[in-house]
Amino acid sequence: MGTEGDDCRVIAGRYRLEARIGRGGMGVVWRATDQLLGRRVAVKELALEASRSGEDARLRSDRTLREARAVAQLRHPHIIVVHDVVEDGERPYIVMELIDGGSLADRIAERGPVDAAEAARIGIDLLSALRTAHEAGVLHRDIKPANVLVESGTERVVLTDFGIARVAGATTLTETGSFVGSPEYTAPERMSEARTGPESDLWSVGALLCAVLSGESPFRRDSIGGILHAVVAAEIRPPAQAEPLLPVVRGLLERDPDRRLNAAEAEGMLRTFLETGRTPQPPATPYTPTQRDIPRQTPPPPSAPAPVGRSVRGVLIAALLVAAVAGAGVSAAALLIHGGSGDGGGTPTSPAPGTSASTSASPAPTVTVTRGAATSPAAADSHTAPSGYRLARDPAGFSLAVPEGFTRDPQGERVFYMSPGQTVRLGIRATVPQTGGPLGVMRRADVKGPDTNPGYHDGRVTRTTHHGHPAALWEFTWKGFSTAEGPRHTYDMCWEEDGRMYDVWVSAPVGKVREAREYFDVAVDTFLPT
Protein backbone atom coordinates (compact mmCIF):
# COMPACT_ATOMS: atom_id res chain seq x y z
CA MET A 1 0.00 0.00 0.00
CA GLY A 2 1.06 3.62 -0.32
CA THR A 3 0.06 7.09 -1.46
CA GLU A 4 0.51 7.69 -5.17
CA GLY A 5 2.84 10.52 -6.15
CA ASP A 6 1.31 13.48 -7.97
CA ASP A 7 3.52 13.12 -11.01
CA CYS A 8 5.53 9.90 -10.54
CA ARG A 9 8.58 12.11 -10.86
CA VAL A 10 11.96 10.76 -11.85
CA ILE A 11 15.06 11.64 -9.81
CA ALA A 12 18.68 11.49 -10.92
CA GLY A 13 17.38 10.67 -14.39
CA ARG A 14 16.81 7.07 -13.32
CA TYR A 15 14.52 6.40 -10.35
CA ARG A 16 10.76 6.87 -10.84
CA LEU A 17 9.00 7.59 -7.51
CA GLU A 18 5.63 5.87 -7.65
CA ALA A 19 4.01 5.63 -4.22
CA ARG A 20 4.76 6.91 -0.75
CA ILE A 21 5.10 3.93 1.59
CA GLY A 22 6.43 5.57 4.72
CA ARG A 23 7.11 8.87 6.42
CA GLY A 24 9.15 9.81 9.47
CA GLY A 25 11.29 12.51 11.01
CA MET A 26 14.10 11.75 8.56
CA GLY A 27 11.94 12.11 5.42
CA VAL A 28 9.72 10.12 3.08
CA VAL A 29 10.17 6.57 1.74
CA TRP A 30 8.91 5.86 -1.77
CA ARG A 31 8.25 2.68 -3.71
CA ALA A 32 10.10 3.29 -6.93
CA THR A 33 11.41 1.73 -10.12
CA ASP A 34 15.02 1.77 -11.23
CA GLN A 35 14.39 2.46 -14.92
CA LEU A 36 17.96 1.59 -15.89
CA LEU A 37 17.96 -1.92 -14.40
CA GLY A 38 14.21 -2.47 -14.47
CA ARG A 39 13.86 -3.41 -10.80
CA ARG A 40 11.71 -2.25 -7.91
CA VAL A 41 13.49 -0.31 -5.17
CA ALA A 42 12.77 1.78 -2.09
CA VAL A 43 13.94 5.40 -2.17
CA LYS A 44 14.35 7.46 0.99
CA GLU A 45 13.97 11.18 0.32
CA LEU A 46 15.77 12.88 3.18
CA ALA A 47 14.18 15.98 4.69
CA LEU A 48 16.01 19.30 4.49
CA GLU A 49 15.84 21.74 7.38
CA ALA A 50 14.63 25.08 6.11
CA SER A 51 16.04 26.86 9.18
CA ARG A 52 19.62 26.04 8.20
CA SER A 53 21.91 28.23 6.13
CA GLY A 54 22.88 27.12 2.66
CA GLU A 55 26.41 26.21 3.74
CA ASP A 56 25.21 24.29 6.79
CA ALA A 57 22.63 22.42 4.72
CA ARG A 58 25.32 21.59 2.18
CA LEU A 59 27.64 20.21 4.86
CA ARG A 60 24.84 18.10 6.33
CA SER A 61 23.95 16.77 2.90
CA ASP A 62 27.59 15.90 2.22
CA ARG A 63 27.80 14.08 5.55
CA THR A 64 24.59 12.16 4.84
CA LEU A 65 25.82 11.00 1.46
CA ARG A 66 29.25 10.13 2.84
CA GLU A 67 27.83 8.06 5.67
CA ALA A 68 25.24 6.33 3.48
CA ARG A 69 28.01 5.26 1.13
CA ALA A 70 29.81 3.71 4.11
CA VAL A 71 26.65 1.76 4.98
CA ALA A 72 26.42 0.66 1.33
CA GLN A 73 29.68 -1.27 1.83
CA LEU A 74 28.05 -3.58 4.39
CA ARG A 75 27.02 -7.02 3.16
CA HIS A 76 24.83 -9.12 5.45
CA PRO A 77 21.51 -10.92 4.91
CA HIS A 78 19.92 -9.02 7.80
CA ILE A 79 21.11 -5.53 6.82
CA ILE A 80 19.19 -3.54 4.23
CA VAL A 81 21.04 -3.35 0.91
CA VAL A 82 21.86 0.22 -0.15
CA HIS A 83 22.00 0.27 -3.96
CA ASP A 84 22.77 3.91 -4.60
CA VAL A 85 23.15 7.35 -3.04
CA VAL A 86 22.17 10.29 -5.24
CA GLU A 87 21.28 13.97 -5.20
CA ASP A 88 18.52 15.65 -7.15
CA GLY A 89 17.78 19.34 -6.79
CA GLU A 90 20.31 19.51 -3.91
CA ARG A 91 18.22 16.99 -1.95
CA PRO A 92 19.87 13.66 -0.97
CA TYR A 93 18.18 10.34 -1.73
CA ILE A 94 19.15 6.84 -0.62
CA VAL A 95 18.15 3.97 -2.92
CA MET A 96 17.64 0.65 -1.12
CA GLU A 97 16.30 -2.81 -1.72
CA LEU A 98 12.51 -3.00 -1.50
CA ILE A 99 11.38 -5.40 1.23
CA ASP A 100 7.92 -6.89 0.69
CA GLY A 101 6.64 -6.72 4.24
CA GLY A 102 6.04 -4.39 7.14
CA SER A 103 8.07 -3.38 10.14
CA LEU A 104 8.43 -5.31 13.37
CA ALA A 105 6.45 -2.51 15.03
CA ASP A 106 3.59 -3.08 12.56
CA ARG A 107 3.71 -6.81 13.22
CA ILE A 108 3.48 -6.35 16.99
CA ALA A 109 0.60 -3.88 16.60
CA GLU A 110 -1.33 -6.24 14.31
CA ARG A 111 -0.57 -9.64 15.83
CA GLY A 112 0.62 -8.90 19.34
CA PRO A 113 3.88 -9.95 21.07
CA VAL A 114 5.91 -12.98 19.97
CA ASP A 115 7.01 -15.96 22.04
CA ALA A 116 10.49 -16.43 23.47
CA ALA A 117 11.69 -18.64 20.60
CA GLU A 118 10.70 -16.07 17.97
CA ALA A 119 12.21 -13.26 20.02
CA ALA A 120 15.45 -15.25 20.24
CA ARG A 121 15.46 -15.73 16.46
CA ILE A 122 14.95 -12.02 15.90
CA GLY A 123 17.66 -11.19 18.41
CA ILE A 124 20.15 -13.58 16.80
CA ASP A 125 19.59 -12.05 13.36
CA LEU A 126 19.97 -8.49 14.63
CA LEU A 127 23.06 -9.27 16.71
CA SER A 128 24.69 -11.02 13.77
CA ALA A 129 23.99 -7.98 11.59
CA LEU A 130 25.40 -5.63 14.21
CA ARG A 131 28.58 -7.66 14.57
CA THR A 132 29.24 -7.21 10.85
CA ALA A 133 28.50 -3.49 11.02
CA HIS A 134 30.52 -2.85 14.16
CA GLU A 135 33.53 -4.71 12.77
CA ALA A 136 33.41 -2.26 9.85
CA GLY A 137 33.22 0.67 12.28
CA VAL A 138 29.58 1.49 11.47
CA LEU A 139 27.00 2.13 14.22
CA HIS A 140 23.21 2.12 13.86
CA ARG A 141 22.16 4.47 16.72
CA ASP A 142 18.40 4.06 16.27
CA ILE A 143 17.51 0.40 16.70
CA LYS A 144 13.80 0.01 17.42
CA PRO A 145 10.94 -2.17 16.10
CA ALA A 146 10.00 0.45 13.49
CA ASN A 147 13.48 0.15 11.95
CA VAL A 148 13.34 -3.64 11.63
CA LEU A 149 11.53 -5.05 8.60
CA VAL A 150 10.07 -8.56 8.37
CA GLU A 151 9.91 -9.96 4.83
CA SER A 152 6.60 -11.58 3.92
CA GLY A 153 6.82 -15.28 3.19
CA THR A 154 10.38 -15.78 4.42
CA GLU A 155 10.10 -13.99 7.81
CA ARG A 156 13.60 -12.63 7.15
CA VAL A 157 14.51 -9.90 9.63
CA VAL A 158 16.15 -6.87 8.01
CA LEU A 159 17.69 -3.94 9.89
CA THR A 160 17.08 -0.70 8.01
CA ASP A 161 17.84 3.02 8.46
CA PHE A 162 21.38 1.97 9.31
CA GLY A 163 23.30 4.98 10.55
CA ILE A 164 20.93 7.47 8.97
CA ALA A 165 19.65 8.98 12.24
CA ARG A 166 23.21 9.91 13.17
CA VAL A 167 24.58 10.91 9.79
CA ALA A 168 21.83 13.43 9.20
CA GLY A 169 23.13 15.34 12.22
CA ALA A 170 20.55 14.21 14.77
CA THR A 171 22.03 14.24 18.25
CA THR A 172 20.26 12.69 21.19
CA LEU A 173 19.14 16.03 22.60
CA THR A 174 18.55 19.24 20.70
CA GLU A 175 19.49 22.68 21.90
CA THR A 176 15.87 23.38 22.80
CA GLY A 177 15.55 20.24 24.90
CA SER A 178 13.53 18.27 22.35
CA PHE A 179 14.38 14.62 21.93
CA VAL A 180 15.62 13.45 18.54
CA GLY A 181 15.51 9.71 18.02
CA SER A 182 13.78 7.01 20.06
CA PRO A 183 14.32 7.62 23.77
CA GLU A 184 12.70 4.35 24.87
CA TYR A 185 15.42 2.46 23.00
CA THR A 186 18.37 4.80 23.61
CA ALA A 187 21.26 3.73 25.86
CA PRO A 188 21.90 5.80 29.01
CA GLU A 189 25.42 6.77 27.90
CA ARG A 190 23.92 8.27 24.75
CA MET A 191 21.36 10.13 26.85
CA SER A 192 24.20 11.89 28.65
CA GLU A 193 26.36 11.95 25.50
CA ALA A 194 29.15 10.41 27.57
CA ARG A 195 29.99 8.03 24.72
CA THR A 196 28.50 6.34 21.71
CA GLY A 197 29.84 2.99 20.59
CA PRO A 198 28.79 -0.54 19.68
CA GLU A 199 27.60 -1.06 23.26
CA SER A 200 24.88 1.56 22.76
CA ASP A 201 23.38 -0.45 19.89
CA LEU A 202 23.36 -3.55 22.11
CA TRP A 203 21.36 -1.77 24.82
CA SER A 204 18.79 -0.96 22.14
CA VAL A 205 18.57 -4.65 21.19
CA GLY A 206 17.84 -5.46 24.84
CA ALA A 207 14.99 -2.95 24.92
CA LEU A 208 13.72 -4.26 21.58
CA LEU A 209 13.63 -7.85 22.88
CA CYS A 210 11.46 -6.67 25.78
CA ALA A 211 9.16 -4.88 23.32
CA VAL A 212 8.65 -7.87 21.01
CA LEU A 213 7.99 -10.14 24.01
CA SER A 214 5.56 -7.84 25.84
CA GLY A 215 4.33 -5.29 23.31
CA GLU A 216 6.20 -2.26 24.64
CA SER A 217 9.58 -1.04 25.78
CA PRO A 218 10.26 -1.36 29.52
CA PHE A 219 11.12 2.36 29.51
CA ARG A 220 7.82 3.64 28.13
CA ARG A 221 6.43 6.47 30.23
CA ASP A 222 3.96 9.34 29.77
CA SER A 223 6.55 12.05 29.20
CA ILE A 224 10.06 12.56 27.88
CA GLY A 225 11.21 13.41 31.41
CA GLY A 226 9.74 10.16 32.68
CA ILE A 227 11.43 8.15 29.92
CA LEU A 228 14.80 9.75 30.60
CA HIS A 229 14.51 9.02 34.30
CA ALA A 230 13.51 5.42 33.57
CA VAL A 231 16.50 4.90 31.29
CA VAL A 232 19.22 6.50 33.38
CA ALA A 233 18.10 6.10 37.01
CA ALA A 234 15.01 4.03 37.79
CA GLU A 235 15.09 0.31 38.56
CA ILE A 236 14.99 -1.69 35.32
CA ARG A 237 12.13 -4.18 35.37
CA PRO A 238 12.05 -6.49 32.33
CA PRO A 239 8.53 -7.79 31.55
CA ALA A 240 7.45 -11.16 32.88
CA GLN A 241 7.38 -12.51 29.31
CA ALA A 242 11.17 -12.04 29.15
CA GLU A 243 11.78 -14.64 31.88
CA PRO A 244 13.06 -17.39 29.49
CA LEU A 245 15.63 -14.93 28.10
CA LEU A 246 16.18 -12.93 31.27
CA PRO A 247 20.00 -13.31 31.51
CA VAL A 248 20.32 -11.99 27.95
CA VAL A 249 17.95 -9.09 28.52
CA ARG A 250 19.57 -8.09 31.80
CA GLY A 251 23.03 -8.42 30.29
CA LEU A 252 22.14 -6.12 27.40
CA LEU A 253 20.33 -3.64 29.67
CA GLU A 254 23.39 -3.17 31.89
CA ARG A 255 23.77 0.59 32.41
CA ASP A 256 27.56 0.45 32.52
CA PRO A 257 28.53 -0.13 28.88
CA ASP A 258 31.81 -1.76 29.95
CA ARG A 259 29.82 -4.45 31.79
CA ARG A 260 27.22 -4.94 29.05
CA LEU A 261 27.08 -8.21 27.11
CA ASN A 262 28.81 -7.95 23.76
CA ALA A 263 27.12 -9.06 20.54
CA ALA A 264 28.87 -12.43 20.35
CA GLU A 265 28.01 -13.29 23.96
CA ALA A 266 24.34 -12.34 23.60
CA GLU A 267 24.01 -14.13 20.26
CA GLY A 268 25.58 -17.29 21.71
CA MET A 269 23.20 -17.26 24.68
CA LEU A 270 20.17 -16.89 22.41
CA ARG A 271 21.36 -19.76 20.20
CA THR A 272 21.76 -21.91 23.30
CA PHE A 273 18.15 -21.16 24.24
CA LEU A 274 16.88 -22.16 20.77
CA GLU A 275 18.91 -25.37 20.83
CA THR A 276 18.07 -26.49 24.38
CA GLY A 277 14.90 -24.65 25.34
CA ARG A 278 16.56 -23.76 28.65
CA THR A 279 17.25 -20.31 30.02
CA PRO A 280 20.78 -19.45 28.91
CA GLN A 281 23.43 -18.73 31.50
CA PRO A 282 25.67 -15.63 31.48
CA PRO A 283 29.21 -15.99 30.10
CA ALA A 284 31.47 -18.24 32.17
CA THR A 285 33.98 -15.46 32.81
CA PRO A 286 32.28 -12.75 34.86
CA TYR A 287 33.37 -9.15 34.73
CA THR A 288 36.17 -8.42 37.17
CA PRO A 289 36.74 -4.79 38.23
CA THR A 290 40.14 -3.43 37.28
CA GLN A 291 42.20 -0.53 38.52
CA ARG A 292 40.62 1.74 35.92
CA ASP A 293 37.24 1.24 37.62
CA ILE A 294 38.54 2.57 40.92
CA PRO A 295 38.00 6.33 41.36
CA ARG A 296 41.26 8.24 41.36
CA GLN A 297 40.03 11.34 43.12
CA THR A 298 40.38 11.97 46.81
CA PRO A 299 37.11 11.83 48.77
CA PRO A 300 35.01 14.97 48.21
CA PRO A 301 33.41 17.06 50.91
CA PRO A 302 30.25 15.49 52.37
CA SER A 303 28.01 17.83 50.36
CA ALA A 304 29.44 16.71 47.01
CA PRO A 305 28.39 13.56 45.15
CA ALA A 306 30.76 10.65 45.59
CA PRO A 307 33.09 10.13 42.62
CA VAL A 308 32.27 7.29 40.26
CA GLY A 309 34.11 5.21 37.72
CA ARG A 310 34.76 6.83 34.35
CA SER A 311 32.41 4.61 32.38
CA VAL A 312 29.30 5.58 34.35
CA ARG A 313 30.11 9.14 35.47
CA GLY A 314 28.13 10.84 32.70
CA VAL A 315 25.17 8.52 33.19
CA LEU A 316 24.93 9.17 36.93
CA ILE A 317 25.25 12.92 36.48
CA ALA A 318 22.40 12.72 34.00
CA ALA A 319 20.42 10.60 36.43
CA LEU A 320 20.75 13.16 39.21
CA LEU A 321 19.57 15.94 36.93
CA VAL A 322 16.73 14.01 35.38
CA ALA A 323 15.54 12.75 38.76
CA ALA A 324 15.23 16.34 39.89
CA VAL A 325 13.14 17.38 36.91
CA ALA A 326 11.45 14.15 35.79
CA GLY A 327 8.06 15.78 36.01
CA ALA A 328 9.02 18.71 33.85
CA GLY A 329 8.38 17.00 30.50
CA VAL A 330 10.55 17.78 27.53
CA SER A 331 12.44 20.52 29.40
CA ALA A 332 14.16 17.81 31.43
CA ALA A 333 16.13 16.81 28.38
CA ALA A 334 17.82 20.18 28.19
CA LEU A 335 19.52 19.62 31.54
CA LEU A 336 21.46 16.51 30.61
CA ILE A 337 25.21 16.90 30.52
CA HIS A 338 27.36 15.85 27.58
CA GLY A 339 29.95 13.38 28.82
CA GLY A 340 32.63 14.27 26.28
CA SER A 341 32.54 11.65 23.53
CA GLY A 342 33.67 13.12 20.26
CA ASP A 343 36.65 13.88 18.08
CA GLY A 344 38.72 16.95 18.50
CA GLY A 345 40.22 17.81 15.23
CA GLY A 346 43.36 19.70 15.98
CA THR A 347 44.56 22.38 13.66
CA PRO A 348 44.05 21.48 10.01
CA THR A 349 47.43 20.49 8.65
CA SER A 350 48.74 17.49 6.77
CA PRO A 351 47.80 14.36 8.74
CA ALA A 352 50.18 12.30 10.76
CA PRO A 353 49.46 8.66 11.54
CA GLY A 354 46.52 8.38 13.88
CA THR A 355 45.18 11.91 13.42
CA SER A 356 43.52 14.05 10.83
CA ALA A 357 42.03 17.45 10.23
CA SER A 358 38.26 17.72 10.15
CA THR A 359 35.20 19.57 11.50
CA SER A 360 31.55 18.93 12.11
CA ALA A 361 28.72 20.68 10.39
CA SER A 362 26.43 19.95 13.31
CA PRO A 363 25.51 22.82 15.61
CA ALA A 364 27.51 22.47 18.80
CA PRO A 365 25.73 23.43 22.03
CA THR A 366 27.93 24.52 24.90
CA VAL A 367 28.41 21.67 27.36
CA THR A 368 30.39 20.97 30.50
CA VAL A 369 32.46 17.83 30.66
CA THR A 370 33.03 16.06 33.96
CA ARG A 371 35.83 13.70 33.17
CA GLY A 372 38.50 12.23 35.43
CA ALA A 373 41.14 12.89 37.99
CA ALA A 374 42.45 16.20 36.75
CA THR A 375 39.10 17.96 36.62
CA SER A 376 39.59 19.45 40.08
CA PRO A 377 42.49 21.67 41.20
CA ALA A 378 43.45 19.21 43.90
CA ALA A 379 43.64 16.37 41.42
CA ALA A 380 45.59 18.48 38.94
CA ASP A 381 48.10 19.51 41.59
CA SER A 382 48.76 15.91 42.58
CA HIS A 383 49.33 15.00 38.92
CA THR A 384 49.90 11.31 39.44
CA ALA A 385 49.51 8.48 36.95
CA PRO A 386 46.92 5.75 37.61
CA SER A 387 47.91 2.11 37.80
CA GLY A 388 49.13 0.83 34.46
CA TYR A 389 50.34 4.27 33.36
CA ARG A 390 53.47 6.36 33.78
CA LEU A 391 53.81 10.13 33.98
CA ALA A 392 55.65 11.39 30.90
CA ARG A 393 57.30 14.80 31.37
CA ASP A 394 57.84 15.65 27.72
CA PRO A 395 60.62 18.04 26.58
CA ALA A 396 58.08 19.62 24.21
CA GLY A 397 56.61 21.45 27.20
CA PHE A 398 53.88 19.30 28.73
CA SER A 399 53.31 16.28 30.91
CA LEU A 400 50.61 13.60 30.89
CA ALA A 401 50.02 9.98 31.86
CA VAL A 402 50.63 7.43 29.10
CA PRO A 403 50.16 3.66 29.22
CA GLU A 404 53.18 1.69 30.38
CA GLY A 405 54.99 0.25 27.38
CA PHE A 406 54.17 3.18 25.07
CA THR A 407 57.27 4.76 23.57
CA ARG A 408 57.85 8.37 22.50
CA ASP A 409 58.10 9.08 18.75
CA PRO A 410 58.36 12.81 17.85
CA GLN A 411 57.28 13.65 14.29
CA GLY A 412 57.96 17.32 13.57
CA GLU A 413 55.61 19.51 15.60
CA ARG A 414 53.68 16.45 16.75
CA VAL A 415 54.71 14.11 19.54
CA PHE A 416 53.44 10.53 19.52
CA TYR A 417 53.43 7.88 22.20
CA MET A 418 53.08 4.51 20.46
CA SER A 419 51.94 1.13 21.74
CA PRO A 420 54.11 -1.90 20.98
CA GLY A 421 53.61 -2.53 17.28
CA GLN A 422 52.28 1.06 16.90
CA THR A 423 48.68 -0.16 16.60
CA VAL A 424 47.52 2.45 19.14
CA ARG A 425 48.81 6.00 18.72
CA LEU A 426 48.52 8.79 21.27
CA GLY A 427 49.37 12.18 19.76
CA ILE A 428 49.96 15.67 21.17
CA ARG A 429 50.42 18.97 19.35
CA ALA A 430 50.86 22.51 20.68
CA THR A 431 50.39 25.58 18.45
CA VAL A 432 49.37 29.21 18.60
CA PRO A 433 45.59 29.84 18.86
CA GLN A 434 43.76 29.60 15.52
CA THR A 435 40.90 31.57 13.99
CA GLY A 436 37.56 30.43 15.34
CA GLY A 437 39.10 28.81 18.40
CA PRO A 438 38.98 25.06 19.08
CA LEU A 439 35.49 24.63 17.66
CA GLY A 440 36.38 26.42 14.44
CA VAL A 441 39.53 24.35 14.09
CA MET A 442 37.61 21.12 14.54
CA ARG A 443 34.84 22.07 12.15
CA ARG A 444 37.31 23.02 9.44
CA ALA A 445 39.14 19.76 10.06
CA ASP A 446 35.96 17.70 9.78
CA VAL A 447 35.26 19.12 6.34
CA LYS A 448 38.65 17.77 5.26
CA GLY A 449 38.11 14.43 7.00
CA PRO A 450 37.42 12.41 3.82
CA ASP A 451 40.58 13.83 2.21
CA THR A 452 42.92 13.21 5.14
CA ASN A 453 41.47 9.97 6.55
CA PRO A 454 40.56 7.26 4.02
CA GLY A 455 36.99 6.02 4.45
CA TYR A 456 36.16 8.77 6.95
CA HIS A 457 32.68 8.46 8.46
CA ASP A 458 30.69 8.92 11.69
CA GLY A 459 32.49 12.23 12.31
CA ARG A 460 31.16 14.29 15.19
CA VAL A 461 32.35 17.53 16.80
CA THR A 462 31.08 18.83 20.15
CA ARG A 463 31.83 22.15 21.85
CA THR A 464 32.87 21.65 25.47
CA THR A 465 35.40 22.84 28.07
CA HIS A 466 38.61 21.37 29.42
CA HIS A 467 39.58 22.42 32.95
CA GLY A 468 37.48 25.55 32.37
CA HIS A 469 39.08 26.41 29.02
CA PRO A 470 37.21 26.52 25.67
CA ALA A 471 37.51 23.14 23.97
CA ALA A 472 36.06 20.93 21.26
CA LEU A 473 35.84 17.15 21.00
CA TRP A 474 36.01 15.18 17.75
CA GLU A 475 35.33 11.48 17.19
CA PHE A 476 35.34 9.57 13.93
CA THR A 477 35.86 6.20 12.26
CA TRP A 478 37.94 5.55 9.14
CA LYS A 479 39.56 2.76 7.14
CA GLY A 480 43.15 3.30 8.26
CA PHE A 481 46.11 4.14 6.10
CA SER A 482 46.43 0.60 4.71
CA THR A 483 44.47 -2.62 4.31
CA ALA A 484 46.74 -4.29 6.85
CA GLU A 485 46.01 -1.55 9.38
CA GLY A 486 42.24 -1.96 9.00
CA PRO A 487 39.35 0.20 10.30
CA ARG A 488 40.27 2.62 13.08
CA HIS A 489 38.53 4.92 15.53
CA THR A 490 39.91 8.27 16.72
CA TYR A 491 39.15 10.38 19.81
CA ASP A 492 40.54 13.93 19.76
CA MET A 493 40.30 17.02 21.98
CA CYS A 494 41.51 20.54 21.20
CA TRP A 495 41.52 23.43 23.67
CA GLU A 496 43.13 26.80 24.43
CA GLU A 497 45.11 27.37 27.62
CA ASP A 498 47.57 30.10 28.64
CA GLY A 499 47.83 31.52 25.13
CA ARG A 500 48.46 28.16 23.47
CA MET A 501 46.25 25.69 21.61
CA TYR A 502 46.68 22.04 22.56
CA ASP A 503 45.48 19.00 20.66
CA VAL A 504 45.48 15.50 22.21
CA TRP A 505 44.19 12.46 20.34
CA VAL A 506 44.19 8.66 20.42
CA SER A 507 43.75 6.49 17.33
CA ALA A 508 43.22 2.72 17.60
CA PRO A 509 41.72 -0.25 15.73
CA VAL A 510 37.93 -0.38 16.07
CA GLY A 511 38.30 -3.62 18.03
CA LYS A 512 40.20 -1.72 20.73
CA VAL A 513 37.85 1.22 21.08
CA ARG A 514 37.33 0.64 24.82
CA GLU A 515 41.05 0.72 25.54
CA ALA A 516 41.43 3.73 23.26
CA ARG A 517 38.73 5.65 25.12
CA GLU A 518 40.43 4.96 28.45
CA TYR A 519 43.85 6.00 27.11
CA PHE A 520 42.28 9.18 25.74
CA ASP A 521 40.44 10.02 28.96
CA VAL A 522 43.54 9.50 31.09
CA ALA A 523 45.75 11.52 28.72
CA VAL A 524 43.35 14.48 28.65
CA ASP A 525 42.61 14.31 32.37
CA THR A 526 46.27 14.35 33.36
CA PHE A 527 47.62 16.74 30.71
CA LEU A 528 49.40 19.82 32.05
CA PRO A 529 51.53 22.44 30.26
CA THR A 530 55.03 22.71 31.80
Side-chain angles (χ1 to χ4, degrees):
M1 298 198 312
T3 303
E4 296 297 324
D6 294 335
D7 53 2
C8 288
R9 58 193 168 96
V10 175
I11 63 165
R14 176 175 175 177
Y15 303 105
R16 186 176 71 246
L17 308 185
E18 298 168 346
R20 186 183 297 116
I21 57 177
R23 176 186 292 275
M26 296 303 300
V28 176
V29 180
W30 298 87
R31 181 184 295 114
T33 296
D34 179 347
Q35 297 182 125
L36 180 63
L37 298 181
R39 66 181 175 187
R40 306 302 295 275
V41 294
V43 175
K44 170 162 281 194
E45 178 181 3
L46 296 177
L48 296 179
E49 298 179 66
S51 62
R52 300 202 170 276
S53 67
E55 180 182 2
D56 198 10
R58 175 80 262 166
L59 289 171
R60 282 177 176 267
S61 177
D62 288 346
R63 169 179 282 183
T64 296
L65 297 177
R66 187 167 71 228
E67 301 267 359
R69 291 185 182 109
V71 175
Q73 304 304 310
L74 300 176
R75 292 291 181 269
H76 191 279
H78 301 293
I79 295 177
I80 194 79
V81 175
V82 175
H83 294 308
D84 200 0
V85 182
V86 299
E87 282 187 288
D88 189 277
E90 298 187 352
R91 184 183 295 270
Y93 295 81
I94 301 174
V95 183
M96 304 170 287
E97 67 173 314
L98 180 65
I99 302 296
D100 181 16
S103 71
L104 190 55
D106 295 334
R107 175 173 175 166
I108 296 171
E110 294 170 4
R111 308 184 196 175
V114 305
D115 61 22
E118 179 65 1
R121 184 187 72 84
I122 292 169
I124 288 170
D125 292 346
L126 294 180
L127 290 164
S128 176
L130 287 174
R131 281 206 292 155
T132 294
H134 293 165
E135 287 169 2
V138 177
L139 306 179
H140 191 286
R141 296 185 175 88
D142 196 21
I143 296 172
K144 58 184 177 181
N147 283 340
V148 178
L149 302 179
V150 182
E151 189 173 46
S152 298
T154 67
E155 297 298 295
R156 177 170 69 109
V157 171
V158 182
L159 189 54
T160 188
D161 268 1
F162 222 102
I164 304 307
R166 170 64 182 88
V167 303
T171 54
T172 304
L173 302 173
T174 68
E175 295 162 271
T176 59
S178 302
F179 203 100
V180 179
S182 310
E184 295 175 38
Y185 298 92
T186 300
E189 65 270 17
R190 278 199 64 216
M191 290 284 196
S192 64
E193 303 233 344
R195 64 193 271 188
T196 297
E199 303 86 359
S200 299
D201 281 348
L202 300 178
W203 169 283
S204 301
V205 173
L208 181 144
L209 288 175
C210 291
V212 300
L213 285 163
S214 69
E216 66 179 24
S217 160
F219 306 107
R220 179 166 296 178
R221 300 293 188 272
D222 293 335
S223 67
I224 288 292
I227 293 172
L228 297 181
H229 181 256
V231 170
V232 303
E235 179 184 356
I236 298 174
R237 296 181 178 178
Q241 297 91 328
E243 184 66 28
L245 305 178
L246 193 58
V248 180
V249 170
R250 288 200 178 279
L252 292 173
L253 295 181
E254 163 60 58
R255 284 198 174 100
D256 183 346
D258 290 328
R259 292 173 169 83
R260 199 168 295 155
L261 284 177
N262 63 41
E265 291 169 338
E267 183 181 343
M269 292 168 70
L270 292 176
R271 290 189 184 279
T272 297
F273 172 77
L274 283 184
E275 293 168 0
T276 66
R278 295 193 294 270
T279 299
Q281 297 303 307
T285 303
Y287 176 87
T288 301
T290 63
Q291 181 66 32
R292 72 186 184 198
D293 298 306
I294 301 173
R296 300 195 303 272
Q297 289 179 293
T298 56
S303 61
V308 298
R310 180 181 316 284
S311 58
V312 295
R313 176 179 285 107
V315 173
L316 293 185
I317 291 173
L320 292 173
L321 291 173
V322 175
V325 294
V330 174
S331 61
L335 298 180
L336 287 176
I337 294 180
H338 290 55
S341 67
D343 295 303
T347 51
T349 60
S350 59
T355 189
S356 138
S358 175
T359 97
S360 169
S362 303
T366 301
V367 296
T368 301
V369 177
T370 301
R371 303 183 66 87
T375 54
S376 69
D381 290 342
S382 63
H383 201 44
T384 58
S387 177
Y389 294 78
R390 64 182 177 86
L391 191 61
R393 300 188 185 277
D394 199 277
F398 59 83
S399 64
L400 78 170
V402 301
E404 293 178 353
F406 277 45
T407 56
R408 186 176 187 269
D409 183 8
Q411 298 181 14
E413 60 185 1
R414 293 174 169 85
V415 175
F416 286 91
Y417 284 86
M418 305 285 200
S419 69
Q422 300 191 351
T423 56
V424 179
R425 304 187 281 261
L426 191 165
I428 307 98
R429 183 171 184 263
T431 63
V432 298
Q434 305 292 311
T435 303
L439 187 63
V441 165
M442 296 302 195
R443 284 183 166 176
R444 291 192 297 272
D446 181 54
V447 170
K448 297 181 180 179
D451 299 326
T452 55
N453 293 81
Y456 177 90
H457 62 97
D458 279 354
R460 173 199 179 117
V461 172
T462 305
R463 177 192 297 144
T464 183
T465 60
H466 175 260
H467 299 176
H469 302 287
L473 287 162
W474 181 26
E475 182 178 354
F476 61 91
T477 304
W478 51 300
K479 290 183 178 179
F481 289 120
S482 68
T483 302
E485 187 172 63
R488 299 181 66 82
H489 197 78
T490 298
Y491 297 97
D492 196 338
M493 175 179 275
C494 176
W495 73 94
E496 292 181 2
E497 182 174 356
D498 297 332
R500 299 285 286 170
M501 179 171 282
Y502 296 97
D503 182 17
V504 175
W505 66 91
V506 169
S507 172
V510 293
K512 295 187 176 181
V513 67
R514 290 186 182 181
E515 295 96 319
R517 182 56 192 254
E518 179 186 300
Y519 299 156
F520 173 72
D521 284 346
V522 171
V524 171
D525 288 350
T526 59
F527 184 94
L528 283 177
T530 57

